[in-house]
């Protein structure tokens, strides 16, 4: 382990300081985080899952905890990222909950949305018990780091049998005042038995400066519940973003994740789910669009732990300039998980000769009666389709734009909520139709 | 309208068209027939401007202008239309969007205003009837998952919307059952105008029972080996191509 350890001394000092100042309820968690981080450090490219993504430049940087300075941030600035102004929205600015910009007073029945600090006081033990359950502090260096700073973030709780149609939005914004800072929010999403809800987690950078976001989400989807969880990452161009989502699923539950990535100089998203009840399913779809020198890494890990479960994945990347995309989709089927039905598709469209992708499907199957398929493609714009469009009078630029958009559309189409789908389709369309 | 003189074309350095000469005037229907591999599709694709084909000799004049110097999209905007032998599937782009983009590209080239989606749907409604197509098809991705017949009808729908001056139909009849063939032929006949011309590329004489050509040309080995009136098609149907190939060999 020590050979793969990066020793960011400054980070260790900061974690120690954080646990020394911890409120009682969080002290144990923070201390565990600090200890784990001391041990684990940050991964190097010698660690298998980090082979294609180097965080060396992050380990060298000296980010300090963000101070939540929300001065000067206006509702107009946030408007383009809201999807809908009528949805309950919990806003965080520069690492800290910003009550004046949040609108969670009129919540639909059956759902609770609380900033972490308030959740700790109102729900107390309930929250403390959940923290670190799906994402234990010693999982990896980044989760350890997150645990050692526990305190900010949000709790979304959907009561049993409540079907909540209105999405809840958690919006994390970094401005110029957050440059040089780091944030480690924790998000707890809890859907009780037969509940249904949609939660959007947005990451937005309103600055071109460097900062570091290191969120961890713990997701519980109880028996028969359905949780739509959209992670929309539009961090600033110089941001570092490392995020981990750990989900645990009960019998007949459905966890539906969509991961939309366009931001950051270096981003990494881990989505791990354990199908821990019979008949449950998971759908992990996503779209990554990078250009310039961006590096974006998406890792999924689906653990089929019980029989008769399904998993579906469609991940697409559109890479331009010298950007670098990584996709690693791991499907792990335990010996008792018979009748597992898994399907993974990963397609990359390269818009330039210098863009590159490393894509790796990984199937580890220990059951003998399963159906698991995967397919990965990497390609350029289809020349036959391009000529077909041109032969109808559509000019080369527009044909290329349409084909690029069409490539992305296949994943965006899977988003169930129409408002979110339309908005992200619009963002994608504009990205490829604005002249550059 | 179209004057092809001693046209030579290659793909990847292999000569395919070896001296084609053909004149098509407004109001005429020309059938181009010939065995598989004789270069029919190559001729069609070269006329439409496929970049894979290199023109190594001769010329193609369209309304007096050199076609070879126009990009494929410009040719289309100027009224050249190719119905593909194998229409291309474009998952993710709806038929309605695609058709409107094509229609507006042509209008823009003519200096006309673009039409919005609602106006366009009104306009396309008529043309849908012409090819007996369900309006629901407009909202599906271009040709994706269409049957062979649906793809061919979709080509004729595009032709109906774009009202080309020179339509080249590359084996639009191949693989169609008789009902689909009638629909396609009726569509083509209904779109015929004195100021337009049609080149029908076909392998079988059957289509010519429904669309009567003014001229029939037989292509073999990248050359036109025989030209005649519509009776030539009947002779080919009765005798096959071999006698012609032997005659030129
Ligand atoms: N892209 C290509 N590369 C190599 N050879 C080709 C290509 N396209 C066509 N050919 C060859 O050119 C000849 C004519 O093909 P084609 O024009 O498709 O004939 P037809 O339409 O009359 O059946 C054939 O021998 C074919 O193999
Ligand atoms: Mg052909």
């Amino acid at each position: 382990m020590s050979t793969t350890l990066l020793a960011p001394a400054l980070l260790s000092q900061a974690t120690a300081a954080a646990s020394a100042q911890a409120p009682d309820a969080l002290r144990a968690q923070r201390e565990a985080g600090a200890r784990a981080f001391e041990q684990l450090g940050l991964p190097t490219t010698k660690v298998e899952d980090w082979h294609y993504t180097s965080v060396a430049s992050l380990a060298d940087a000296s980010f300090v905890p963000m101070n939540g300075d929300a001065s000067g941030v206006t509702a107009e600035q946030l408007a383009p990222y809201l999807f809908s102004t009528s949805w309950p929205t919990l806003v965080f600015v520069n690492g800290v909950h910003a009550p004046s910009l949040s609108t969670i007073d009129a919540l639909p029945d059956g759902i609770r949305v609380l900033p972490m600090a308030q959740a700790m006081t109102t729900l107390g033990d309930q929250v403390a018990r959940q923290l670190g359950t799906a994402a234990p502090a010693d999982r990896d260096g980044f989760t350890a780091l997150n645990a050692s700073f526990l305190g900010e973030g949000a709790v979304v709780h959907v009561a049993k049998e409540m079907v909540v149609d209105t999405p809840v939005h958690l919006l994390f914004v970094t401005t110029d005042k957050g440059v040089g800072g780091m944030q480690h929010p924790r998000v707890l999403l809890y859907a009780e038995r037969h509940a249904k809800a949609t939660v959007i987690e947005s990451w937005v950078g309103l600055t071109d400066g460097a900062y570091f976001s290191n969120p961890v989400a713990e997701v519980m989807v109880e028996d028969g519940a359905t949780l739509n969880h959209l992670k929309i990452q539009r961090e600033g161009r110089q941001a570092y973003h490392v995020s981990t989502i750990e989900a645990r699923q009960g019998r007949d539950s459905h966890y539906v994740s969509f991961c939309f990535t366009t931001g950051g100089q270096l981003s990494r998203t881990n989505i791990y789910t354990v199908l821990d009840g019979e008949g449950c399913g998971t759908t992990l779809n996503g779209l990554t669009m990078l250009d310039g020198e961006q590096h974006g890494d998406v890792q999924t890990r689906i653990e089929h732990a019980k029989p008769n479960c399904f998993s579906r994945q469609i991940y697409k990347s559109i890479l331009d300039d010298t950007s670098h995309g990584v996709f690693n989709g791991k499907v792990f089927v335990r010996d008792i998980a018979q009748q597992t039905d898994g399907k993974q598709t990963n397609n990359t469209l390269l818009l330039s000769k210098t863009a590159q992708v490393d894509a790796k499907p990984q199937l580890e199957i220990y059951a003998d009666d399963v159906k698991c398929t995967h397919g990965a493609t990497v390609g350029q714009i289809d020349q036959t389709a391009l000529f077909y469009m041109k032969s109808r009078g559509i000019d080369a630029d527009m044909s290329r734009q349409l084909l690029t958009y069409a490539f992305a559309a296949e994943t965006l189409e899977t988003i169930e909520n129409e408002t979110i789908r339309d908005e992200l389709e619009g963002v994608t369309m504009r990205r490829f139709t604005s002249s550059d | 309208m179209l004057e092809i003189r001693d046209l030579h074309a290659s793909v990847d350095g292999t000569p395919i068209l070896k001296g084609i000469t053909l004149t098509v005037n407004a109001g005429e229907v020309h059938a181009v027939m010939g065995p598989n591999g004789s270069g029919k599709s190559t001729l069609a694709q070269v006329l439409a401007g496929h970049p894979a084909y290199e023109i190594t000799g001769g010329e193609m004049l369209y309304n007096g202008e050199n076609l070879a110097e126009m990009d494929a999209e410009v040719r289309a905007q100027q009224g050249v239309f190719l119905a593909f032998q194998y229409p291309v599937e474009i998952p993710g782009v709806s038929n309605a969007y695609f058709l409107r983009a094509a229609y507006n590209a042509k209008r823009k080239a003519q200096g006309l205003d673009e039409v919005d989606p609602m106006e366009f749907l009104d306009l396309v409604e008529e043309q849908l009837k012409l090819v007996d197509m369900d309006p629901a098809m407009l909202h599906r991705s271009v040709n994706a998952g269409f049957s062979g017949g649906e793809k061919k009808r979709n080509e004729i729908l595009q032709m109906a919307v774009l009202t080309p001056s020179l339509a080249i139909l590359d084996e639009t009849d191949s693989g169609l059952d008789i009902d689909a063939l009638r629909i396609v032929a009726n569509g083509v006949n209904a779109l015929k105008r004195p100021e337009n011309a049609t080149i029908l590329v076909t392998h079988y004489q059957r289509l010519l029972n429904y669309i009567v050509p003014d001229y029939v040309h037989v292509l073999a080995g990248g050359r036109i080996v025989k030209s005649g009136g519509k009776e030539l098609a009947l002779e080919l149907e009765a005798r096959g191509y071999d006698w012609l190939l032997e005659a030129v060999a």
Side-chain angles (χ1 to χ4, degrees):
Chain A
M1 190 54 79
S2 60
T3 54
T4 60
L5 179 73
L6 286 176
L10 275 166
L11 280 176
S12 287
Q13 273 170 31
T15 58
S19 30
Q21 296 153 15
D24 285 345
L26 293 172
R27 175 159 298 129
Q29 300 264 5
R30 282 198 192 175
E31 282 173 0
R35 270 196 312 275
F37 184 70
E38 195 65 47
Q39 277 236 316
L40 296 165
L42 295 179
T44 68
T45 52
K46 288 182 193 128
V47 177
E48 195 193 355
D49 285 352
W50 290 87
H51 187 65
Y52 299 110
T53 297
S54 166
V55 293
S57 60
L58 173 61
D60 289 342
S62 50
F63 293 116
V64 298
M66 289 185 186
N67 65 5
D69 185 349
S71 56
V73 177
T74 63
E76 289 76 59
Q77 275 178 297
L78 303 185
Y81 305 98
L82 283 187
F83 297 100
S84 164
T85 48
S86 64
W87 293 351
T89 304
L90 200 56
V91 177
F92 298 78
V93 176
N94 297 324
V96 179
H97 171 227
S100 64
L101 294 164
S102 301
T103 49
I104 49 163
D105 12 270
L107 285 172
D109 282 347
I111 191 163
R112 275 185 294 190
V113 181
L114 300 166
M116 185 61 78
Q118 196 186 330
M120 293 297 298
T121 40
T122 350
L123 304 173
D125 267 7
Q126 268 188 42
V127 173
R129 265 204 310 277
Q130 284 307 320
L131 290 170
T133 309
D138 58 2
R139 167 80 81 218
D140 62 51
F142 288 101
T143 304
L145 202 53
N146 178 283
S148 72
F149 288 100
L150 262 182
E152 271 302 333
V155 175
V156 178
H157 183 272
V158 197
K160 70 172 190 220
E161 285 161 31
M162 297 307 295
V163 174
V164 184
D165 292 322
T166 310
V168 167
H169 192 183
L170 311 176
L171 173 58
F172 297 84
V173 179
T174 301
T175 70
D176 287 334
K177 303 227 165 66
V179 171
M182 58 181 179
Q183 56 179 334
H184 307 274
R186 179 71 59 110
V187 171
L188 288 186
L189 306 180
Y190 203 111
E192 287 189 2
R193 271 184 298 137
H194 297 292
K196 183 174 182 193
T198 297
V199 178
I200 310 164
E201 218 188 293
S202 277
W203 298 88
V204 168
L206 298 176
T207 175
D208 288 329
Y211 61 93
F212 171 37
S213 301
N214 178 39
V216 171
E218 296 186 80
V219 181
M220 298 288 170
V221 195
E222 284 195 344
D223 294 358
T226 297
L227 186 71
N228 288 295
H229 184 193
L230 295 103
K231 187 200 156 199
I232 316 296
Q233 194 270 87
R234 293 184 272 189
E235 298 271 29
R237 297 288 301 191
Q238 291 305 318
Y240 292 86
H241 177 99
V242 179
S243 117
T244 295
I245 295 168
E246 295 249 22
R248 294 288 175 276
Q249 297 185 236
R251 193 191 159 100
D252 301 316
S253 67
H254 194 184
Y255 176 62
V256 186
S257 151
F258 194 90
C259 179
F260 183 88
T261 301
T262 58
Q265 64 163 306
L266 188 159
S267 74
R268 158 86 169 213
T269 299
N270 305 311
I271 302 178
Y272 302 141
T273 180
V274 183
L275 303 179
D276 204 9
E278 274 202 53
C280 67
T282 196
T283 304
L284 310 182
N285 294 341
L287 175 63
T288 296
M289 298 184 284
L290 306 175
D291 58 19
E293 298 178 350
Q294 286 181 294
H295 179 103
D297 181 347
V298 173
Q299 307 266 323
T300 64
R301 182 180 195 279
I302 298 173
E303 180 178 334
H304 283 270
K306 294 279 155 58
N308 294 303
C309 298
F310 70 89
S311 56
R312 293 284 177 276
Q313 299 186 78
I314 305 173
Y315 272 87
K316 297 217 177 196
S317 304
I318 302 176
L319 308 175
D320 204 350
D321 302 327
T322 55
S323 62
H324 184 184
V326 181
F327 176 76
N328 186 358
K330 203 180 282 181
V331 178
F332 183 85
V333 182
R334 287 196 181 280
D335 53 1
I336 64 155
Q338 301 293 2
Q339 310 295 331
T340 287
D341 175 3
K343 189 164 192 244
Q344 180 186 101
T345 309
N346 172 232
N347 309 117
T348 304
L349 177 61
L350 299 174
L351 297 181
S352 82
K353 289 197 169 66
T354 45
Q356 58 166 319
V357 63
D358 290 290
K360 191 167 68 165
Q362 239 180 306
L363 302 184
E364 261 184 67
I365 301 175
Y366 298 97
D368 52 18
D369 186 14
V370 302
K371 193 170 74 192
C372 285
T373 62
H374 65 81
T377 63
V378 178
Q380 281 97 27
I381 292 270
D382 177 358
Q383 292 300 316
T384 311
L386 189 63
F387 175 62
Y388 188 62
M389 298 187 97
K390 286 165 65 177
S391 79
R392 297 302 180 248
I394 305 170
D395 71 42
D397 280 347
M398 188 178 179
S399 298
R400 244 179 235 113
Q401 288 160 4
L402 274 173
L403 290 171
T404 306
Y405 174 74
F407 176 86
E410 193 192 352
T411 59
L412 293 169
E413 260 159 25
T414 65
I415 298 173
E416 183 183 293
N417 182 284
E418 195 180 338
T419 308
I420 304 172
R421 185 176 65 237
D422 285 354
E423 173 68 19
L424 294 180
E425 285 179 348
V427 167
T428 304
M429 183 67 109
R430 286 192 293 279
R431 181 182 177 98
F432 297 111
T433 49
S434 64
S435 50
D436 55 336
Chain B
M1 171 174 296
L2 178 69
E3 243 191 292
I4 305 175
R5 291 193 203 125
D6 195 28
L7 181 69
H8 288 70
S10 312
V11 59
D12 295 331
T14 311
I16 312 277
L17 301 184
K18 299 167 185 167
I20 302 244
T21 298
L22 176 67
T23 301
V24 177
N25 296 307
E28 294 176 352
V29 176
H30 289 244
V32 174
M33 303 184 71
N36 282 331
S38 57
K40 304 184 298 293
S41 290
T42 302
L43 175 62
Q45 299 271 340
V46 165
L47 286 170
H50 196 294
Y53 300 91
E54 191 197 349
I55 296 180
T56 51
E59 60 181 355
M60 307 175 283
L61 297 178
Y62 174 65
N63 294 329
E65 288 190 66
N66 186 354
L67 259 191
E69 281 174 8
M70 296 182 205
D71 282 336
E73 59 265 40
V74 177
R75 298 184 202 193
Q77 289 159 11
Q78 307 276 329
V80 178
F81 179 88
L82 169 64
F84 281 51
Q85 181 173 1
Y86 303 108
V88 180
E89 300 191 4
I90 314 180
V93 177
S94 81
N95 229 355
Y97 193 96
F98 177 68
L99 274 170
R100 188 166 62 89
Y103 183 71
N104 278 335
K106 184 168 182 185
R107 286 183 63 92
K108 210 170 137 196
Q110 292 170 335
L112 299 169
D113 283 341
E114 301 191 358
V115 299
D116 67 35
M118 292 315 289
E119 285 176 87
F120 184 73
L121 282 181
D122 283 347
L123 183 150
V124 84
E125 209 169 321
E126 278 305 298
Q127 333 287 359
L128 280 167
K129 285 184 203 136
L130 184 70
V131 289
D132 193 23
M133 214 158 111
D134 183 349
M137 302 283 273
L138 288 176
H139 304 293
R140 287 174 50 187
S141 292
V142 180
N143 295 325
F146 286 26
S147 70
E150 285 170 341
K151 284 182 182 170
K152 297 297 176 87
R153 275 188 280 160
N154 205 24
E155 295 289 284
I156 303 303
L157 174 67
Q158 293 171 26
M159 177 175 155
V161 167
L162 296 173
T163 58
S165 321
L166 175 64
I168 306 149
L169 279 66
D170 189 0
E171 297 213 25
T172 303
D173 54 325
S174 293
L176 295 187
D177 63 30
I178 198 71
D179 292 332
L181 181 71
R182 277 207 194 97
I183 292 169
V184 164
N186 286 343
V188 174
N189 286 329
L191 295 168
K192 211 176 141 184
R193 301 280 179 277
E195 64 274 18
N196 295 343
T198 309
I199 298 176
L200 286 178
V201 174
T202 181
H203 183 70
Y204 309 102
Q205 187 272 339
R206 183 180 67 151
L207 176 67
L208 306 180
N209 294 333
Y210 298 92
I211 308 172
V212 181
D214 300 297
Y215 300 94
V216 174
H217 312 276
V218 180
L219 201 61
R223 288 189 190 89
I224 291 179
V225 295
K226 194 166 177 66
S227 294
K230 59 176 182 280
E231 61 293 340
L232 176 55
L234 293 170
E235 195 176 352
L236 289 168
E237 181 73 2
R239 298 178 63 188
Y241 290 109
D242 289 349
W243 61 281
L244 264 180
L245 303 184
E246 279 158 25
V248 295

